[in-house]
Amino acid sequence: MKLIGLAGWSGAGKTTLLTRLIPCLAARGIGVSTLKHAHHRFDVDTPGKDSWLHREAGARQVLVASEHRWALMTENRGAPEPGLRFLLSRLSPVDLVIVEGFKRDSHPKVEVHRAANAKPWIHPEDPHVVAVASDTRPPPGPLADLPWSPLDDVEAIADLVQRFAVDLAAWQG
């Protein structure tokens, strides 16, 4: 398994890019899984449905399965938020895992930047940024030394992702 991240501020276009990147990589024969970090409470279950009722009743884990898919939900119930390494260990084997978010972790990342956000660049404060996908060229300095792709050039970004993804087992060391 290989690992790469997409990191950027909210509104930069990470999710939109990822939804375009996954089919591009799949067309190249690469199996992709994703791991997304959320900074807020979120729900993947429908209030009132059985699995939601199980969680609300206090179940630590609820697994929902059908002929089409299965999902395992785990409630932290006051336990610390699990780290990236732990979460990655829960994924089934695949060619490539793309992490959206977790921008403070040490995995290699493609910085996704949108000028209209008026947010600062993540690199060079994050030395794990290995490339940039942006709607504007990075300013002179350390960012300009990184490989860059226009944000709308999905094929070029897929090339960057493949080039800079690292072996998961080696990264976990």
Side-chain angles (χ1 to χ4, degrees):
M1 284 178 47
K2 298 272 190 172
L3 170 69
I4 191 76
L6 296 182
W9 299 105
S10 178
K14 297 180 301 294
T15 301
T16 300
L17 173 59
L18 198 47
T19 60
R20 296 177 65 214
L21 196 55
I22 293 167
C24 176
L25 291 164
R28 295 178 182 194
I30 299 167
V32 178
S33 288
T34 63
L35 198 161
K36 178 172 175 37
H37 187 258
H39 292 285
H40 47 78
R41 280 186 68 89
F42 66 94
D43 212 333
V44 293
D45 204 1
T46 305
K49 291 291 190 178
D50 292 351
S51 54
W52 182 87
L53 292 169
H54 297 179
R55 282 191 310 111
E56 288 298 304
R60 294 284 303 227
Q61 289 190 309
V62 177
L63 195 146
V64 182
S66 76
E67 67 179 284
H68 300 286
R69 73 188 55 87
W70 66 272
L72 175 62
M73 294 171 283
T74 301
E75 290 291 319
N76 289 334
R77 302 266 182 235
E81 179 178 353
L84 179 58
R85 291 173 193 273
F86 172 82
L87 295 169
L88 287 166
S89 75
R90 298 303 185 244
L91 293 175
S92 296
V94 68
D95 298 320
L96 176 67
V97 176
I98 302 176
V99 176
E100 182 183 341
F102 289 92
K103 65 179 169 258
R104 290 178 178 76
D105 280 88
S106 64
H107 60 290
K109 304 169 198 88
V110 174
E111 179 170 351
V112 179
H113 184 85
R114 186 172 303 281
N117 265 1
K119 297 280 189 179
W121 293 86
I122 293 172
H123 182 78
E125 276 69 34
D126 182 348
H128 304 290
V129 170
V130 294
V132 176
S134 177
D135 60 351
T136 183
R137 281 199 172 269
L143 268 168
D145 296 336
L146 295 177
W148 169 80
S149 172
L151 196 50
D152 60 353
D153 190 344
V154 178
E155 291 289 338
I157 297 168
D159 291 342
L160 291 174
V161 162
Q162 285 189 267
R163 177 177 163 194
F164 290 106
V166 297
D167 182 76
L168 177 61
W171 176 77
Q172 288 182 318

